[in-house]
Amino acid sequence: MSENGSFSDLEAIEKQALTDIESSGDAATLDAVRVQVLGKKGSLKQILRNLGGLTPEQRPLFGARANEVKEKVQAALDAARARFGAPAQNNKSGDPGADLTLPGNMPERGSRHPVRLVSARMIKIFASLGFEVADGPEVEDEWHNFTGLNIPADHIARDPSENFYLEDDLLMRSQTSTVQVRVMENTPPPLRIIAPGKVFRPDTVDAAHSYMFHQLEGLVVEEGMTFGHLKSTLLTFFQQLLQDDDMKLRLRPSFFPFTEPSAEVDLYWRGGWMEMGGCGMVDPNVLESVGIDPERWTGFAFGLGIERVTMASYNIPDIRYFTENDVRFLRQFS
Ligand code: DAH
């Protein structure tokens, strides 16, 4: 292009613009052409600022010709835009408008937390065995957390290093067994309840321990309950949960103040033994402390770690994954 405006330069601008419009493959490229030619600093504006090489007679002709080029280019742009399905530009601001052909932004969808998911599954299975869901407070008094459960005043489980004590005689409950006491206080037997919920202990956090985790407590108080009923209940539960004949259940002799006899609940699955919780026959002292006649009523109880059950179900190696809120982990359960 010569330094001063000339008719041949106008022709060149028009030709180039029409070729560029013809070959542009999308709305963005098209818009770039528009800015380059018709924009404030575009080639057409530029050339009209440089009319020094024209005679006074030529100038209006040149202006008219420039207008023609502008309209032709504008028409070609509109036609091409329609080709892409984008709205034609019909405002003076130069805003091409929203491109309705672009894909939308999908909102991120959350998913249920694995502990919630497994907890719901556990509740469903126990409900099919006749258990009702009960609830109790996370801030408890010492009576429901210890005394009512036959845990003596000098027992190590009451030690300040084992519990989150609050003011007065309150603490964050260290076990869901508290709900056993609360239910038996308020409801006469026969009873068949489960109580899922959070428990709190000042444990050092590692792959298997956390300061907060979930337990699912179970309690049955009926006439003539035996250790056989306890074992068959837990066995049926794990069989239904895991749907796998290679699973084994072992009740290993143990001690809890609120059950006699007591046992640890061990699960063998995928080649290894894992501890899932504790269980036993409700100690007569516990029944007496809530005014239930132990000569007539017998019961069994169990407490399962929901994180433990979840880790077994999904082969999760570390309890810390549950509270890290890493969506790469959580998304796998949607
Ligand atoms: N509460 C016990 C714990 O936190 C677990 C437990 C053991 C619950 C035996 C029970 C039971 O109901 O019978 O370790």
Side-chain angles (χ1 to χ4, degrees):
M1 212 191 285
S2 63
E3 193 159 292
N4 293 325
S6 75
F7 284 93
S8 63
D9 288 342
L10 258 184
E11 302 306 324
I13 288 171
E14 181 186 287
K15 209 169 153 223
Q16 188 61 48
L18 295 178
T19 317
D20 288 349
I21 291 167
E22 192 56 41
S23 64
S24 52
D26 54 52
T29 318
L30 210 56
D31 203 52
V33 177
R34 179 186 63 77
V35 172
Q36 205 176 54
V37 182
L38 304 180
K40 263 193 204 124
K41 290 177 182 160
S43 46
L44 213 50
K45 283 270 154 60
Q46 216 82 54
I47 203 172
L48 286 169
R49 259 185 230 120
N50 264 323
L51 302 181
L54 298 174
T55 65
E57 294 76 38
Q58 281 177 318
R59 287 183 189 185
L61 292 172
F62 190 85
R65 178 72 189 111
N67 234 353
E68 250 177 59
V69 171
K70 184 184 161 194
E71 270 160 26
K72 241 175 152 173
V73 170
Q74 184 65 60
L77 281 169
D78 289 347
R81 239 183 234 112
R83 204 168 70 219
F84 301 131
Q89 182 211 335
N90 55 8
N91 54 5
K92 290 218 175 79
S93 72
D95 180 358
D99 183 352
L100 302 179
T101 64
L102 291 174
N105 297 323
M106 287 297 283
E108 288 262 6
R109 288 182 71 187
S111 53
R112 289 185 99 178
H113 191 278
V115 167
R116 289 274 168 186
L117 204 68
V118 169
S119 173
R121 231 173 259 160
M122 295 171 79
I123 291 170
K124 205 170 168 192
I125 295 170
F126 280 114
S128 77
L129 299 174
F131 287 80
E132 281 176 56
V133 176
D135 199 11
E138 289 170 3
V139 173
E140 259 302 1
D141 50 50
E142 294 192 46
W143 160 258
H144 291 96
N145 204 89
F146 302 119
T147 316
L149 287 164
N150 197 36
I151 299 174
D154 59 354
H155 196 279
I156 178 72
R158 292 188 184 237
D159 198 83
S161 68
E162 303 285 322
N163 297 284
F164 290 115
Y165 280 101
L166 307 168
E167 58 205 7
D168 302 326
D169 80 331
L170 297 176
L171 74 161
M172 303 304 292
R173 70 176 175 198
S174 63
Q175 49 187 356
T176 46
S177 305
T178 53
V179 185
Q180 289 188 34
V181 182
R182 287 192 171 271
V183 168
M184 287 189 287
E185 274 175 338
N186 296 317
T187 326
L191 287 169
R192 207 181 279 197
I193 60 104
I194 48 169
K198 291 185 169 71
V199 299
F200 306 84
R201 295 176 194 181
D203 278 347
T204 304
V205 176
D206 62 23
H209 299 88
S210 183
Y211 46 84
M212 184 283 292
F213 55 97
H214 297 75
Q215 288 184 329
L216 185 135
E217 192 78 14
L219 172 72
V220 172
V221 183
E222 292 176 24
E223 281 172 296
M225 284 294 107
T226 69
F227 206 86
H229 294 117
L230 167 58
K231 181 157 190 187
S232 73
T233 300
L234 290 173
L235 189 61
T236 305
F237 164 72
F238 279 108
Q239 278 169 344
Q240 293 205 13
L241 181 78
L242 304 173
Q243 310 272 351
D244 189 341
D245 292 338
D246 290 339
M247 176 277 281
K248 285 199 250 312
L249 189 70
R250 177 176 67 189
L251 299 186
R252 182 162 40 90
S254 185
F255 174 80
F256 297 102
F258 34 95
T259 43
E260 181 61 33
S262 306
E264 307 281 345
V265 181
D266 293 344
L267 175 74
Y268 182 90
W269 199 43
R270 292 187 178 135
W273 286 101
M274 295 167 275
E275 202 181 301
M276 293 288 122
C279 70
M281 302 307 291
V282 180
D283 193 297
N285 288 343
V286 173
L287 295 174
E288 253 163 23
S289 76
V290 290
I292 294 177
D293 178 8
E295 294 300 325
R296 177 175 173 202
W297 301 99
T298 44
F300 63 82
F302 52 88
L304 304 173
I306 301 183
E307 276 83 353
R308 293 263 172 101
V309 174
T310 309
M311 288 163 87
S313 303
Y314 288 110
N315 232 339
I316 296 166
D318 196 314
I319 198 173
R320 287 169 290 199
Y321 289 151
F322 293 127
T323 45
E324 276 172 355
N325 280 343
D326 187 332
V327 291
R328 290 170 303 177
F329 170 71
L330 297 172
R331 205 177 268 151
Q332 297 177 68
F333 304 91
S334 57

